[in-house]
Amino acid sequence: MPKVESFTLDHTIVQAPYVRVAGVEHNGKGATVQKFDLRFLQPNTDSIPTGALHTLEHYLSIFLREEIDGLIDISPMGCRTGFYLAVWEEHPVSKIALALHHALQRVLEQTEVPAATAKECGNYKDHSLFSAKEYARQVLSQGISTDPFDHSRLIQAD
Ligand code: ZN
């Protein structure tokens, strides 16, 4: 059976919200891809409804690309407690956490969901800007830690 990094994480002892490195891949030809776990909610206590998760995905796909050079992908976790982010090269956790903080701040200012049409999206009817803002606000008010096991290590936002 292949080893899946996220299956080795003890989800009962993490302290969300946090950002952590979930893996680094080197292809041996000079290419490096890093994966991050952007955990919004405490696992097995709550989950983001699909409308909010989907709307956050649309916003983060734009705002995090503006903040992070080499971003490859940001996608929701199946458990709906956060997102995975893949990026070229290695980056400090604090940089990704700060970028997420800024992106969530921008979500609070939005009035229209981007690319929410049948042509641009696979389920354009399933969006909730209201709910996306509520979860963004919740993560910002709790603070984003750079240590998944110690929520006192919050990033200091400017
Ligand atoms: Zn969509």
Side-chain angles (χ1 to χ4, degrees):
M1 197 166 120
K3 187 164 186 265
V4 180
E5 191 277 342
S6 68
F7 295 171
T8 69
L9 175 72
D10 186 344
H11 288 72
T12 67
I13 60 171
V14 298
Q15 299 175 7
Y18 67 77
V19 172
R20 74 177 180 95
V21 175
V24 182
E25 297 286 336
H26 306 283
N27 75 342
K29 298 175 185 170
T32 298
V33 172
Q34 196 177 24
K35 180 183 174 185
F36 288 91
D37 165 352
L38 279 50
R39 194 72 60 159
F40 283 35
L41 302 183
Q42 189 63 26
N44 300 301
T45 60
D46 195 6
S47 57
I48 305 171
T50 60
L53 193 72
H54 188 189
T55 297
L56 286 167
E57 181 204 10
H58 277 225
Y59 282 125
L60 294 178
S61 71
I62 297 168
F63 297 159
L64 289 178
R65 275 192 174 79
E66 292 174 350
E67 294 257 352
I68 302 165
D69 284 340
L71 192 143
I72 297 168
D73 183 50
I74 168 123
S75 298
M77 295 174 178
C79 60
R80 293 187 280 115
T81 62
F83 293 83
Y84 284 117
L85 182 154
V87 63
W88 291 111
E89 308 301 341
E90 293 189 63
H91 303 257
V93 168
S94 57
K95 175 184 165 180
I96 304 300
L98 193 58
L100 177 61
H101 179 96
H102 289 152
L104 293 177
Q105 283 183 318
R106 290 179 65 185
V107 169
L108 299 182
E109 302 161 2
Q110 302 306 308
T111 56
E112 196 175 336
V113 180
T117 67
K119 185 177 179 183
E120 299 164 297
C121 172
N123 191 0
Y124 80 98
K125 294 171 184 167
D126 191 23
H127 279 284
S128 174
L129 179 53
F130 175 84
S131 188
K133 285 182 178 179
E134 289 300 304
Y135 284 96
R137 191 175 288 117
Q138 179 176 311
V139 170
L140 289 170
S141 70
Q142 293 176 339
I144 302 166
S145 178
T146 56
D147 183 334
F149 307 110
D150 181 358
H151 200 254
S152 70
R153 298 187 61 179
L154 300 180
I155 52 137
Q156 300 302 313
D158 43 9

